[in-house]
Structure formats: structure tokens, C-alpha cells
């Protein structure tokens, strides 16, 4: 006896159900198609949305959700931080590392004598924020320049080259040009606010800072630091503008989750319709097979047996629909993963959950929808069914 | 409770004979009423019957006289409104639905006028059908093949019902009714949809089954040639047995004296 037969002999209800499903092929396929649509809707929307959310979260995270950015508030008269301000900020945030920077625009003169504007960040030590890719920043960094990888590539620079920069003055005129030796090129980073050129803070001449970045170890610490800063400085006046990505992440997550759930909910509505379709199909099927079921009962199938066979049949319809649906949804999710996360196989746990959930939901709906027809058929007395 | 004369076996000397004529199912003063739309229809108005192994009983009578009703009671598909039906001494009215189903499976085989084969299953699978849930696929297949060969359809195992003639379908149905080795075969107009020749083949099959396997056959029929072939003809008229005609000496009507 073949293995297949031995296997099907083990699960006779599945065999019987499969035959019945293929008997009214069109009707079965339509019912399965309804389930399929629901599964595609839930899984596609849910998992696609999860991929989108993950991509956005990744981006925010890369840009430093553990950082807090502080700049002078509207009520701060001089619009700059000085050393005293920095010390107060440092004290308020406790152990977290702070990096003060000043951003300015400068004119960059290329060899061809053409000029263009660049944005320059003055700070104490770039290594506290970024990795160095080439060259070296001296311990006592006072004169040379550090450039971003992009800037180095655009202008064909490497450590040892010279760049010529002049500060932009108020009246759209440029100040005196000065040459800086490039001592290092930074590694590429996704982080937000990477400037083109970095100069030592001493080069500003006035030691004033436009922005302070507070680097913490976790999102929670970042939030705590932000809260502490607001309490300390923004009592009555807005001395500081405190900006942390964490609150943004939280807001974003809750918005996307909400939208996703809402859309997946709409998808579930289509499953509801699918359930009605399955119930209808099963009702028609058991009505048409009334005598046949009567014979089954007459030859010794119990009510439970009939119930089981019909539920397996409903589940089979659901499984067919869910199977095709999940295959289609998988394509959608692969595409979404590729678009949002860079790789088609970058499944997030959220999207897997939606995929599995959609299948479970699809088959579950079929079972629930099949329950009433199955129950009705199982409880029909065989004498009545066979009276013709 | 009165002692059951069929069970105590006080006449030890004739035990073998007693077993041979021990009724499989026996009914006393059986009444069956149907209620439809507030109206009560008495389909059986107190009948007595007794079926012993290898009996061949034909039930005849006009339409609506209660023949199918009687068959349903014999087949444990329905319970009597009053009176008593005993299956091997057990009162069937005490059975739960589950027990009833099990007993039916063990003792009864059904053959219907319109065959009621399952169109999605092959001849072989239709015969296996009553035992499909038993998870003994190998044994079941052997037995089903054997039965189909026996009813002369050894070359039609994998045919679907719509590829079979009426007589072939009925033979498949008979094979199906035998898969669980029943004690009684209940047939409701088994030849009703068949021509005379085919009907004769079915009757031959019944005879073989009785002599080879000791199966009792109770058949409702409108066909005279079927009634003529039976050992006993029970005529039902308006829910009552009018006339019982015994053709062979070894089968006696009603309970033992
Ligand atoms: N389920 C039922 N509900 C109501 N009345 C019924 C039911 N089944 C049978 N009857 C009635 O009981 C009576 C006997 O019916 P039964 O089917 O036993 O007749 P029959 O002898 O088999 O007739 P036929 O030769 O036409 O098959 C009829 O009057 C019928 O209308
Ligand atoms: Mg009838």
C-alpha cells in the first residue's frame, strides 16, 4: 500500500472534505477567493505597514534617538551659549556627555578660483560625535580642518590637502580667506545634522555655541535629560529649545500603529464578508448533500463525525484561500521590505505577526462561518434526510 | 421484569437451534406516530415483528401504509412512539444517539431505492465509506475489494458512480451495506429503479449473502417477483399487518411460542 494512501487513511475527514471541495469547484473557489482577499488585505496592509514603520523608526534611530539637541530659546538674549551656559547644562543632565557646536556658513574657494557656500561646524572634538575614516585628528586640535566624507569626495580631498575658507559676513560679503590643512576625513554616517566641514571651536574667536548635543545611552535617559533641562531652564522663560527624537518616535509609532490597525481592521471587514460567503457556500453544500449526509449517518457516522467532516471542509476552503492569499501577501511584503528596508527578506517581527495572524484569522473565520451549517447538517435526523 | 425467553437458554439441549432462530430484532405492539402541523399521523398502529438470522422478509403494501416507517424502526433510524423494539434483547429506546449510531453500524446494512452513492467517491471508496473513519485503511480496502468482486464488480473498482449503470450502482450499494458485516440488510425498494433482469441479479445476491454469511434480508418492495422470492411476505395496510405468508417451513412468524 502506498505511503500516500496510508497517510490519507489516517485523515479520512480530510480526504472526504477535499473531494467535496473539489466537487463544486467554482463555488469553492469563489468562497476561497473571498477569504484570500481578506488575508491579502490584512497581511499586506499589516505587514507592509510594519515594514514602513520599521524603516522610519530605523531612520529616526540612526539619527540619534538617544540624543537631545538643545539650542538657545526665544527668550535668550544673546542667542548663543557661552561657557557658563554649557556648565549649567552639563550639570543639569548629570552624567550624560555634552558636545557644544556652532554652525556657520562660509565661502569655500576651490582651486579654480570659483567660490561656493559651505556649512561649517565649530566644535571641540569631532571624535565625540563621529568616526574618523582617514587621517587623524591631533590631540590638541586647534588649526586644521576635518571634512565629511561626502565633502571630501565632491572636492577630491584627502588628509594633507589644503582648503581655503572665508567667513560670511552680514552684508553678503565675504571676509578674509584663510587656508586650513585637512587633517582627517570622517566616516560615512546616517546621522542627522552632519556638516561638511568641521573646525576647532577656537577658530570662531568668540567661543560661542549655537547648539548643544547631549548624548545618552538610552532613549529613556534622553527623555529624562530633556525633561530635566526643560524644568531647569524653561520655567517662566523659554531659555532653551529642547528637542529630543524620543517623543517624536513615540508619537510616530502610535500614529502609524493606529493607522495600520485601522487599515488592517478594514481588511478584517473583508474577512467578515468572506465568512458570510463561506457560510453561504457551506449551507448550499450541506443542503445539496442532505441525503448523502443522511446516508453517512445511517451507515454509522455519528453527529460528531459529520460535524468534524464539515468543519474540516470549511477549514479547507479557508486554508486554500489563506494559502493563496498569504502567497500574494508575501509578494506584497517582499516588495514593501525591499522598498522600505532595503532587502526583501528583512521581515520585521511585526510583519511576521501580521502574516501569521492573517492566516489564522482567515482559517478561523472559515471555521466559525462553517460552524452553523455543519451543526445544522449534523443534527438533521437521518430519517428526515432520507425521506426523499 | 419478565425473563426474556430468548436470552436465558433454559432449553440447553437445543442451544444450537435456539441461536439459529434467535431473533436479531423483535418488535411488540409497535406504534409510530408522526406529528405534522398539529396533526398526528399514525403510521404504524401496533405491529409485531421478529427477524431471525438468514431470514428473507418482503414487506409489501400500498403507498403510505407504513413500510418505510417500519424499516426505519428496524434500522434504528427512528424510535417507536410506543411498544417495544429489542435489538438482541436490548430495548432500543434506552439507547443514546451515540449508542444507536454504533449499534446501527454494527448490525445494520442499508440499501436504498436511489442507491445514495457518494458521487465524489469511486465504487471502491463508496464501499469503504462506512469504515473510512476507522483508520484501518488496509483491512478496509481488502474487504471492500473482496465485496465488490463478490457482487461482480471486480473490474469497476475505480469507477465513479456516474460511470456505472443502475444495477451496478445498486450492487455497489449492497457491497457498501456489507462492509461492516451486518446481521440484517434493510432494503427499501432496492429493485425499484432496476429492470427485471438486473433485479433478479440483486435477488441472487441476497440469496448468496443469506446462505454464505447468515445475513437476514428485509426488503420493502412493490415488485411481485421480489416478494415471490422471499421466505415471508408481510403485508402492511394502513399501519397494520394484514397478512403474513410463510413460504418455507423453517421460518416462523412472530415470537417463539
Ligand atoms: N416524517 C414524517 N412526518 C409526518 N408524516 C410521516 C413522516 N413519515 C411518514 N409519514 C406518514 O406516515 C405514513 C407512512 O409513511 P411511509 O413512508 O412509511 O409509507 P410507505 O409505506 O413507505 O409508502 P411508499 O410505498 O409510498 O414509500 C404516511 O401517511 C406518511 O405520510
Ligand atoms: Mg416508502
Amino acid at each position: 500500500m502506498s505511503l500516500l494512501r496510508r497517510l490519507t487513511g489516517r485523515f479520512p475527514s480530510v480526504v472526504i472534505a477535499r473531494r467535496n471541495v473539489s466537487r463544486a469547484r467554482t463555488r469553492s473557489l469563489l468562497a476561497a477567493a473571498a477569504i484570500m482577499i481578506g488575508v491579502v488585505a490584512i497581511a499586506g496592509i499589516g505587514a507592509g505597514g510594519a515594514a514602513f514603520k520599521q524603516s522610519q523608526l530605523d531612520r529616526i534611530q540612526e539619527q540619534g534617538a538617544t540624543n537631545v539637541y538643545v539650542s538657545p530659546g526665544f527668550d535668550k538674549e544673546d542667542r548663543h551659549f557661552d561657557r557658563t551656559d554649557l556648565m549649567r547644562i552639563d550639570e543639569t543632565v548629570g552624567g550624560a556627555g555634552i558636545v557644544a557646536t556652532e554652525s556657520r556658513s562660509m565661502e569655500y574657494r576651490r582651486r579654480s578660483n570659483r567660490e561656493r557656500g559651505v556649512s561649517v561646524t565649530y566644535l571641540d572634538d569631532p571624535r565625540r560625535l563621529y568616526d574618523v575614516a582617514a587621517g587623524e585628528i591631533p590631540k590638541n586640535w586647534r588649526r586644521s580642518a576635518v571634512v565629511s566624507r561626502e565633502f571630501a569626495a565632491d572636492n577630491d580631498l584627502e588628509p594633507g590637502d589644503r582648503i581655503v575658507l572665508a567667513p560670511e559676513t552680514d552684508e553678503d560679503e565675504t571676509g578674509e580667506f584663510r587656508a586650513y590643512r585637512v587633517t582627517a576625513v570622517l566616516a560615512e554616517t546616517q546621522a542627522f545634522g552632519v556638516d561638511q566641514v568641521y573646525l576647532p571651536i577656537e577658530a570662531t574667536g568668540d567661543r560661542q555655541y549655537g547648539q548643544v548635543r547631549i548624548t545618552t545611552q538610552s532613549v529613556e535617559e534622553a527623555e529624562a535629560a530633556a525633561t530635566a533641562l526643560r524644568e531647569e531652564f524653561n520655567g517662566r522663560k523659554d531659555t532653551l529649545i529642547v528637542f529630543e527624537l524620543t517623543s517624536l518616535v513615540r508619537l510616530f509609532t502610535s500614529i502609524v500603529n493606529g493607522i495600520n490597525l485601522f487599515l488592517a481592521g478594514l481588511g478584517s471587514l473583508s474577512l467578515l464578508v468572506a465568512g458570510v460567503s463561506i457560510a453561504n457556500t457551506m449551507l448550499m453544500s450541506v443542503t445539496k448533500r442532505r441525503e448523502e449526509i443522511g446516508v453517512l449517518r445511517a451507515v454509522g457516522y455519528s453527529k460528531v463525525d459529520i460535524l468534524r467532516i464539515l468543519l474540516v471542509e470549511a477549514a479547507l476552503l479557508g486554508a486554500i484561500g489563506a494559502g493563496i492569499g498569504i502567497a500574494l501577501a508575501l509578494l506584497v511584503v517582499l516588495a514593501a521590505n525591499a522598498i522600505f528596508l532595503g532587502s526583501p527578506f528583512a521581515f520585521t517581527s511585526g510583519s511576521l505577526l501580521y502574516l501569521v495572524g492573517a492566516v489564522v484569522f482567515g482559517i478561523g473565520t472559515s471555521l466559525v462561518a462553517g460552524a452553523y451549517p455543519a451543526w445544522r447538517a449534523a443534527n438533521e435526523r437521518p430519517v428526515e434526510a432520507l425521506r426523499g | 421484569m419478565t425473563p426474556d425467553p430468548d436470552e436465558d437458554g433454559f432449553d440447553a439441549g437445543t442451544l444450537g437451534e435456539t441461536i439459529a432462530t434467535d431473533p436479531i430484532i423483535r418488535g411488540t405492539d409497535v406504534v409510530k406516530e408522526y406529528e405534522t402541523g398539529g396533526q398526528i399521523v399514525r403510521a404504524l398502529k401496533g405491529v409485531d415483528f421478529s427477524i431471525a438470522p438468514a431470514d428473507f422478509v418482503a414487506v409489501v403494501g400500498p403507498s403510505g401504509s407504513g413500510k418505510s416507517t417500519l424499516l426505519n424502526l428496524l434500522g434504528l433510524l427512528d424510535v417507536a412512539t410506543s411498544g417495544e423494539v429489542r435489538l438482541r434483547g436490548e430495548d432500543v429506546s434506552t439507547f443514546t444517539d451515540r449508542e444507536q449510531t454504533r449499534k446501527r453500524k454494527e448490525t445494520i446494512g442499508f440499501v436504498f431505492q436511489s442507491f445514495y452513492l457518494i458521487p465524489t467517491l469511486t465504487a471502491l471508496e463508496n464501499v469503504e465509506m462506512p469504515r473510512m473513519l476507522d483508520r484501518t485503511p488496509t483491512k478496509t480496502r481488502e474487504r471492500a475489494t473482496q465485496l465488490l468482486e463478490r457482487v461482480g464488480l471486480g473490474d469497476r473498482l475505480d469507477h465513479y458512480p456516474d460511470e456505472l449503470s443502475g444495477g451496478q450502482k445498486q450492487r455497489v450499494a449492497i457491497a457498501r451495506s456489507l462492509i461492516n458485516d451486518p446481521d440484517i440488510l434493510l432494503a427499501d425498494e432496492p429493485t425499484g429503479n432496476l429492470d427485471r433482469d438486473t433485479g433478479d441479479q440483486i435477488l441472487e445476491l441476497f440469496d448468496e449473502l443469506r446462505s454464505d454469511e447468515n445475513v437476514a434480508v428485509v426488503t420493502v418492495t412493490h415488485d411481485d417477483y421480489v416478494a415471490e422470492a422471499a421466505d415471508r411476505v408481510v403485508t402492511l395496510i394502513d399501519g397494520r399487518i394484514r397478512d403474513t405468508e410463510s413460504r418455507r417451513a423453517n421460518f416462523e412468524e412472530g415470537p417463539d411460542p
Side-chain angles (χ1 to χ4, degrees):
Chain A
M1 178 164 301
S2 75
L3 183 71
L4 179 72
R5 167 129 180 86
R6 205 171 296 195
L7 207 68
T8 53
R10 290 274 124 196
F11 302 102
S13 341
V14 178
V15 178
I16 296 172
R18 195 189 63 72
R19 299 281 174 92
N20 281 325
V21 164
S22 53
R23 168 156 21 158
R25 196 164 273 137
T26 319
R27 189 152 28 99
S28 301
L29 277 180
L30 284 176
I35 288 284
M36 181 199 77
I37 292 168
V39 168
V40 170
I42 293 183
I45 292 171
F52 170 72
K53 185 180 86 179
Q54 192 57 46
S55 77
Q56 299 305 309
L57 281 181
D58 286 351
R59 185 169 298 174
I60 294 174
Q61 216 79 32
E62 271 164 12
Q63 290 175 352
T66 55
N67 292 341
V68 179
Y69 299 89
V70 181
S71 41
F74 300 110
D75 297 333
K76 187 162 172 60
E77 279 144 38
D78 44 12
R79 316 288 294 154
H80 283 287
F81 296 126
D82 55 23
R83 288 261 154 198
T84 332
D85 295 325
L86 290 190
M87 275 155 72
R88 271 188 73 198
I89 290 172
D90 198 9
E91 222 160 80
T92 310
V93 301
I98 76 165
V99 176
T101 58
E102 166 71 1
S103 291
R104 289 187 192 169
S105 299
M106 289 183 104
E107 284 296 313
Y108 166 57
R109 176 182 287 172
R110 304 221 230 170
R111 277 174 216 141
S112 57
N113 270 0
R114 270 186 287 141
E115 291 164 14
R116 70 179 183 93
V118 292
S119 104
V120 175
T121 298
Y122 295 90
L123 75 175
D124 284 319
D125 187 352
R127 281 167 299 194
R128 292 185 56 188
L129 298 179
Y130 310 112
D131 293 327
V132 172
E136 209 180 327
I137 302 173
K139 240 199 190 103
N140 196 2
W141 183 51
R142 284 180 181 282
R143 298 196 47 81
S144 48
V146 172
V147 296
S148 73
R149 186 185 192 92
E150 199 191 353
F151 187 79
D154 285 352
N155 297 289
D156 207 12
L157 295 171
E158 42 184 73
D161 292 344
R162 289 187 169 270
I163 53 172
V164 179
L165 298 167
E168 241 173 28
T169 55
D170 286 344
E171 293 88 34
D172 243 2
E173 288 169 17
T174 41
E176 205 177 316
F177 276 98
R178 243 201 87 183
Y180 298 85
R181 197 172 58 80
V182 175
T183 184
V185 177
L186 296 178
E188 204 155 12
T189 162
Q190 292 293 310
F192 136 102
V194 181
D195 250 329
Q196 295 165 303
V197 178
Y198 296 84
L199 293 175
I201 194 74
E202 279 77 12
T204 58
D206 47 14
R207 278 190 168 272
Q208 286 182 334
Y209 303 88
Q211 195 189 46
V212 176
R213 176 192 293 198
I214 296 137
T215 310
T216 65
Q217 297 309 311
S218 71
V219 173
E220 286 73 30
E221 278 179 47
E223 276 205 306
T227 312
L229 284 171
R230 288 200 184 95
E231 275 172 9
E232 174 71 19
F233 291 92
N234 293 359
R236 267 176 298 137
K237 292 179 167 183
D238 275 345
T239 325
L240 294 184
I241 294 172
V242 182
F243 174 71
E244 88 273 36
L245 286 168
T246 330
S247 53
L248 205 67
V249 170
R250 196 159 291 171
L251 185 67
F252 172 79
T253 308
S254 75
I255 290 174
V256 173
N257 280 350
I259 293 175
N260 224 12
L261 213 63
F262 174 72
L263 289 177
L266 286 184
S268 321
L269 265 182
S270 66
L271 262 192
L272 203 73
V273 177
V276 173
S277 162
I278 292 264
N280 183 44
T281 302
M282 291 296 296
L283 263 179
M284 277 171 73
S285 167
V286 299
T287 310
K288 247 184 92 180
R289 276 151 56 197
R290 186 164 176 247
E291 291 167 349
E292 196 180 307
I293 291 166
V295 174
L296 289 177
R297 291 281 283 121
V299 303
Y301 283 50
S302 67
K303 286 181 182 178
V304 179
D305 294 334
I306 302 292
L307 203 66
R308 190 186 310 121
I309 287 171
L310 292 174
L311 282 180
V312 167
E313 198 173 318
L316 201 63
L317 284 177
I320 292 170
I324 302 172
I326 208 67
L328 293 179
L330 217 53
L331 293 180
V332 173
V333 179
L334 287 177
N337 283 345
I339 293 169
F340 295 123
L341 301 175
S343 156
F345 302 105
F347 289 99
T348 65
S349 59
S351 66
L352 287 178
L353 209 67
Y354 268 111
L355 288 172
V356 173
V359 170
V360 171
F361 222 50
I363 297 178
T365 303
S366 309
L367 275 176
V368 171
Y372 171 68
W375 179 84
R376 224 179 73 164
N379 277 291
E380 168 124 77
R381 296 177 61 233
V383 232
E384 299 299 328
L386 293 174
R387 243 157 61 86
Chain B
M1 234 183 100
T2 55
D4 192 325
D6 299 319
E7 279 197 343
D8 56 15
F10 47 80
D11 194 355
T14 55
L15 191 65
E17 249 182 71
T18 311
I19 285 171
T21 54
D22 220 3
I24 304 160
I25 192 158
R26 161 183 292 186
T28 326
D29 198 19
V30 173
V31 173
K32 179 66 192 176
E33 291 173 350
Y34 292 108
E35 213 189 308
T36 32
Q39 210 183 340
I40 290 178
V41 178
R42 272 196 157 204
L44 291 178
K45 302 174 177 170
V47 298
D48 297 329
F49 53 82
S50 171
I51 312 294
D55 269 2
F56 185 7
V57 182
V59 182
V60 298
S63 184
S65 56
K67 305 184 294 293
S68 297
T69 304
L70 177 61
L71 218 59
N72 289 339
L73 293 178
L74 290 173
L76 306 186
L77 287 173
D78 214 346
V79 285
T81 312
S82 74
E84 199 181 53
V85 178
R86 286 181 172 271
L87 177 75
R88 297 198 179 288
E90 276 183 282
D91 188 345
V92 302
S93 64
T94 62
F95 291 162
T96 63
D97 183 79
R98 184 182 285 268
E99 283 170 330
Q100 210 183 49
T101 305
R102 194 166 53 82
K103 294 279 183 195
R104 196 157 63 218
K105 183 170 178 178
E106 286 167 359
T107 34
I108 318 271
F110 287 99
V111 176
F112 305 92
Q113 177 175 0
S114 36
F115 326 128
Y116 289 142
L117 297 181
I118 295 183
T120 51
L121 303 181
T122 63
L124 189 59
E125 288 165 337
N126 261 293
V127 176
E128 292 175 336
M129 187 266 277
R131 259 163 67 167
M132 256 186 195
L133 299 187
D134 291 356
R135 291 166 203 263
T136 53
T138 319
K139 262 196 203 153
T140 306
R141 176 131 303 186
E142 268 169 28
R143 175 76 175 137
T145 312
Q146 204 183 333
L147 284 170
L148 275 176
E149 276 162 4
R150 150 153 230 184
V151 299
L153 291 174
D155 54 345
R156 295 283 191 281
L157 300 182
D158 294 323
H159 286 230
Y160 285 89
D162 57 8
E163 299 163 348
L164 297 171
S165 73
Q168 288 170 332
K169 282 188 217 179
Q170 196 58 300
R171 282 186 276 159
V172 173
I174 291 169
R176 174 180 69 190
S177 72
L178 296 173
I179 188 87
N180 281 324
D181 302 316
D183 301 324
I184 311 182
L185 205 115
L186 299 177
D188 202 341
E189 301 187 37
T191 55
N193 280 339
L194 305 178
D195 60 33
R196 173 70 197 260
D197 282 351
T198 323
D200 278 337
Q201 287 174 21
I202 302 293
L203 285 180
E204 268 168 39
L205 204 56
F206 283 169
D207 268 336
E208 268 179 46
L209 293 173
R210 292 169 58 223
S211 56
D212 296 357
E213 319 216 354
N214 237 17
V215 179
V217 176
V218 178
T219 177
V220 168
T221 189
H222 284 296
D223 296 324
D224 289 342
Y225 70 92
V226 176
E228 273 161 25
D231 302 325
R232 188 145 53 103
V233 178
V234 174
T235 307
L236 267 179
I237 291 174
D238 194 22
R240 287 182 216 279
I241 295 180
R242 266 302 139 82
D243 183 21
T244 300
E245 194 186 334
S246 282
R247 289 168 204 274
R248 296 187 198 174
N250 58 332
F251 292 111
E252 280 169 38
E253 171 209 344
D256 291 348

